[in-house]
Amino acid sequence: MLAGIKKVGPFEWEVPQGFVPNMRVPGRFFLSDALMETLEEGAVQQLANVATMPGIVKNSLAMPDIHWGYGFPIGGVAAFDREEGVISPGGVGFDINCGVRLLSTPLRAEEITNRRELIERLFHAVPTGVGAKSSIRLSSKELEGMLLKGSAWAVENGYGNAKDIIRCEEQGQMKSADPSAVSDKARQRGMPQSGTLGSGNHFLEVQEVREIYNASAAERMGLSTGQVCIMIHCGSRGLGHQVCTDHLKVLEGATKRYKISLPDRQLACAPLDSPEGRAYFGAMAAAANYAWANRQVIMHMTRGVLSSLYGIGEDEMPLVYDVAHNVAKFEEHRVDGTLKQLCVHRKGATRAFGPGSHDIPPEFADIGQPVIIPGSMGTSSYLLNGTSRAMERTFGSTCHGSGRVMSRSKAKKALSGQEVKKALENEGIIVRAPSVGAIVDEAPEVYKPSGEVVRVVHEVGISRLIARLEPMGVIKG
Amino acid sequence: MSYVELEHTADVKLRVEADTLEDLFSEAVRALMVTMYGTALPGACTVRVEVHAGDLVGLVHDLLSEALFLSEVNEVVFASACLTIEEGAVYGILQGEPFDPARHRGGSEVKGITYSGMKIRKEDDKYILDIILDV
């Protein structure tokens, strides 16, 4: 165990002030004893670094998928006071609104007798991998629409239906988006990439609902055992990456100008109410909208494949929900009994608003917001719901995935792409990727067991299990 | 000049070595491209580059960010860079071959060049650069 940190609950650890100099609040993270072995010192250091930032409220937090990132740790959550706080791209990451959505279908797993053909058709319908180009030719006016309106732009242009919109966090559109803060360079990158999956840990997976933990909530979300669902995981592509790069440079200057002292240059930030802070927030929101539109377009392509293969209509394939993993947003939270406007940064963490909270589809208002936790390729994914405990303890946040435990370089030495592919196929999981390297990078062995990460958030009560989904086939970026 | 990949759980950490700063920057560009595309071989494509920053770490960070951008929009995989480094600026030519989906799909998309852990130091007449790339 790391010196200086202490256990304060069955799954809760504290990083006291003083762990790094100038911490304004303590750090807190959630982890089981079994996952403690995977904790990296670098991740704890990053959690402590975040605690030095001006205006941070209560705690610098990390979820049980905590791992060593850049700026914030992955799994990091921090809320900043609207008046005294800052905004930082280091708390959002390059892939703004990297997120995940779950699409339900009326199909049963046993009906998918042509699994390989289904995966092949999806692979050809959705462009994947480095340098992949979209079949959609956007005009600059259309790109502007995506940046302003997100999912609503996609629906207005024929990609999906109005019901999809209410099943997205923020209804798939951050209204504070300011496209004028998105550079020409970012636009150049975004133009040919709408409706592309990207690479790395991004994927589109065909899944079967294998186990239900909360029957009434699952029924309300339209899920039953044996049902086929599709999970889509991707973000804002080159446009979002460029927005982060551009504004990081501006905010580096701002950090000096506002005399903010930071332990890591990647945490460059500016006061929320400064021209630089407002510009980054507006550009980040526009990139988040691009990501929502992107996932909506990919879902539309997916529905097209399922319709043509199985003769089912779009209205039989409702979106269950869509959540963001990398974003900063203004939210109202109760702090020491008083409601406060805070800017909540989630970097590799998921919003998990409890029952009765703002911005939950009315049909789920008494259950809490659906939370989707993807597993790694070949391992379980989970559907959960947000809780009032998350509102009290984590600014309405929970984990976002499993978290890596093996580096890409180690994975390449230890595993072969063909073997990983074959092992998955032996379990009945078809994998399709542009290269075998992409398969090794994301092999099941390189991640923490997703079940253990989810067990921790369930036990702590910051989200509660509804269902477990198992992969049938996956296309990798 | 050369580079190696170091251990990093989530991202890609590289250590680049060269005798001169110009070679160090050029090799860093090649290392970035090999990470992204799996291979980066010399070719006839050239693209001009110029970045400004207050210190050496800022310069290499911005040069790599710009190389990533220029590679994507020009569809060129850079293998080297012919650069001039002055106080507060780097400028010159990036050289490489056209992106070919059949040959350049062996890497992993780089989302950004991070400042976390970025260092340049001189040891035994060699310049050494550590970089972490978000993939």
Side-chain angles (χ1 to χ4, degrees):
Chain A
M1 199 195 18
L2 277 176
I5 62 170
K6 60 180 181 207
K7 196 169 183 176
V8 290
F11 299 98
E12 194 168 346
W13 301 78
E14 181 168 283
V15 183
Q17 281 173 267
F19 188 86
V20 302
N22 307 318
M23 285 170 72
R24 295 166 195 259
V25 293
R28 285 266 169 133
F29 61 91
F30 301 93
L31 215 54
S32 62
D33 289 341
L35 288 174
M36 231 11 225
E37 285 173 29
T38 66
L39 183 67
E40 303 143 305
E41 189 176 352
V44 178
Q45 170 103 26
Q46 289 178 332
L47 180 73
N49 287 347
V50 173
T52 69
M53 297 172 78
I56 186 165
V57 174
K58 269 166 87 174
N59 290 121
S60 166
L61 295 164
M63 304 298 119
D65 44 355
I66 178 172
H67 63 99
W68 183 25
Y70 52 89
F72 277 45
I74 315 290
V77 175
F80 294 87
D81 183 90
R82 185 158 198 148
E83 272 83 46
E84 290 163 24
V86 290
I87 186 164
S88 171
V92 175
F94 284 96
D95 201 357
I96 296 164
N97 189 7
C98 179
V100 62
R101 65 170 51 192
L102 185 66
L103 169 68
S104 64
T105 79
L107 301 164
R108 317 290 309 165
E110 63 270 17
E111 291 175 68
I112 312 291
T113 50
N114 55 346
R115 205 176 278 199
R116 199 171 292 277
E117 185 189 357
L118 169 61
I119 295 300
E120 203 59 33
R121 290 278 292 271
L122 288 168
F123 184 75
H124 288 288
V126 181
T128 61
V130 178
K133 287 236 175 61
S134 174
S135 54
I136 302 163
R137 291 283 156 261
L138 282 183
S139 67
S140 23
K141 199 175 153 206
E142 285 169 319
L143 180 64
E144 190 81 5
M146 269 181 103
L147 297 174
L148 265 178
K149 293 163 93 174
S151 288
W153 173 86
V155 170
E156 281 167 19
N157 284 274
Y159 305 102
N161 60 66
K163 284 186 204 149
D164 298 334
I165 294 174
I166 55 167
R167 293 287 184 92
C168 294
E169 180 173 337
E170 296 290 321
Q171 303 197 27
Q173 178 189 14
M174 283 180 75
K175 298 220 164 43
S176 37
D178 177 9
S180 72
V182 175
S183 69
D184 286 343
K185 286 163 90 173
R187 286 164 193 260
Q188 258 180 285
R189 293 179 71 180
M191 204 80 98
Q193 291 181 339
S194 66
T196 62
L197 196 63
S199 81
N201 61 357
H202 295 161
F203 65 77
L204 186 156
E205 191 163 274
V206 181
Q207 302 176 338
E208 175 192 349
V209 179
R210 195 64 68 76
E211 192 174 5
I212 302 269
Y213 307 100
N214 179 341
S216 62
E219 192 186 347
R220 197 89 69 78
M221 290 177 190
L223 298 186
S224 59
T225 312
Q227 186 181 358
V228 174
C229 291
I230 311 282
M231 191 172 277
I232 298 165
H233 180 210
C234 68
S236 50
R237 313 291 294 108
L239 181 135
H241 310 166
Q242 191 69 38
V243 163
C244 180
T245 298
D246 293 342
H247 285 266
L248 192 60
K249 176 123 179 131
V250 175
L251 290 174
E252 255 213 293
T255 306
K256 288 183 196 126
R257 202 154 33 256
Y258 297 108
K259 299 188 170 53
I260 301 169
S261 160
L262 295 168
D264 178 354
R265 207 163 165 175
Q266 193 71 30
L267 291 175
C269 59
L272 283 159
D273 191 21
S274 65
E276 299 90 342
R278 282 195 298 272
Y280 169 64
F281 183 69
M284 180 216 63
N289 289 347
Y290 179 96
W292 270 306
N294 198 33
R295 290 198 287 276
Q296 182 70 28
V297 170
I298 291 174
M299 180 174 75
H300 180 74
M301 294 165 171
T302 305
R303 281 174 170 160
V305 169
L306 293 167
S307 284
S308 75
L309 272 177
Y310 304 107
I312 48 179
E314 187 179 297
D315 57 344
E316 295 177 89
M317 294 180 269
L319 174 62
V320 177
Y321 204 64
D322 177 305
V323 289
H325 287 164
N326 289 349
V327 79
K329 290 198 297 195
F330 284 101
E331 294 172 358
E332 212 164 53
H333 289 277
R334 198 167 285 281
V335 181
D336 301 328
T338 312
L339 269 182
K340 280 195 154 183
Q341 274 272 325
L342 304 172
C343 182
V344 182
H345 291 57
R346 296 189 182 94
K347 165 105 171 275
T350 312
R351 197 186 73 170
F353 278 6
S357 302
H358 159 75
D359 192 38
I360 300 184
E363 61 272 32
F364 304 145
D366 59 329
I367 300 173
Q369 176 213 307
V371 169
I372 305 156
I373 308 297
S376 61
M377 187 171 65
T379 65
S380 316
S381 294
Y382 294 88
L383 180 68
L384 301 90
N385 59 277
T387 61
S388 47
R389 185 149 177 84
M391 304 312 285
E392 291 157 16
R393 299 300 311 278
T394 56
F395 304 105
S397 312
T398 189
C399 64
H400 87 305
S402 354
R404 287 186 80 96
V405 285
M406 193 194 287
S407 69
R408 286 170 173 80
S409 52
K410 258 197 191 142
K412 280 196 181 83
K413 280 179 206 142
L415 309 163
S416 107
Q418 286 303 349
E419 278 168 20
V420 173
K421 192 172 174 193
K422 202 147 180 239
L424 289 167
E425 289 194 3
N426 287 340
E427 293 175 39
I429 304 161
I430 313 289
V431 184
R432 188 71 164 87
S435 73
V436 283
I439 297 175
V440 170
D441 272 1
E442 301 296 318
E445 294 89 333
V446 310
Y447 284 94
K448 288 182 195 181
S450 52
E452 181 63 6
V453 171
V454 166
R455 186 179 77 86
V456 175
V457 295
H458 177 82
E459 293 288 341
V460 173
I462 52 176
S463 40
R464 301 288 291 177
L465 279 161
I466 297 176
R468 173 169 62 87
L469 300 101
E470 291 294 334
M472 299 170 65
V474 58
I475 67 170
K476 292 291 309 162
Chain B
M1 51 191 175
S2 62
Y3 82 92
V4 288
E5 191 172 340
L6 304 179
E7 268 308 297
H8 191 288
T9 324
D11 293 312
V12 169
K13 184 171 186 180
L14 303 174
R15 176 161 295 166
V16 188
E17 282 189 22
D19 293 335
T20 67
L21 273 177
E22 287 78 6
D23 283 353
L24 186 78
F25 283 27
S26 170
E27 182 66 0
V29 169
R30 190 180 75 84
L32 168 68
M33 294 292 133
V34 174
T35 305
M36 287 172 73
Y37 302 108
T39 176
L41 298 172
C45 301
T46 58
V47 179
R48 281 204 62 79
V49 65
E50 180 172 345
V51 297
H52 298 264
D55 61 359
L56 263 186
V57 164
L59 282 177
V60 75
H61 174 273
D62 289 3
L63 173 73
L64 294 175
S65 297
E66 191 68 5
L68 195 162
F69 166 76
L70 292 170
S71 168
E72 190 173 299
V73 299
N74 292 288
E75 298 183 38
V76 177
V77 178
F78 302 118
S80 64
C82 184
L83 300 167
T84 303
I85 303 173
E86 290 176 353
E87 200 184 330
V90 179
Y91 56 89
I93 305 281
L94 303 174
Q95 291 172 307
E97 54 177 351
F99 171 75
D100 173 359
R103 291 193 302 113
H104 294 123
R105 283 279 170 86
S108 195
E109 192 169 56
V110 173
K111 294 174 183 170
I113 318 301
T114 81
Y115 271 121
S116 287
M118 188 179 260
K119 285 192 292 258
I120 298 180
R121 61 185 194 279
K122 202 171 178 190
E123 246 173 50
D124 303 329
D125 290 334
K126 283 232 183 256
Y127 287 97
I128 300 170
L129 163 69
D130 287 350
I131 334 163
I132 297 173
L133 305 172
D134 178 19
V135 295

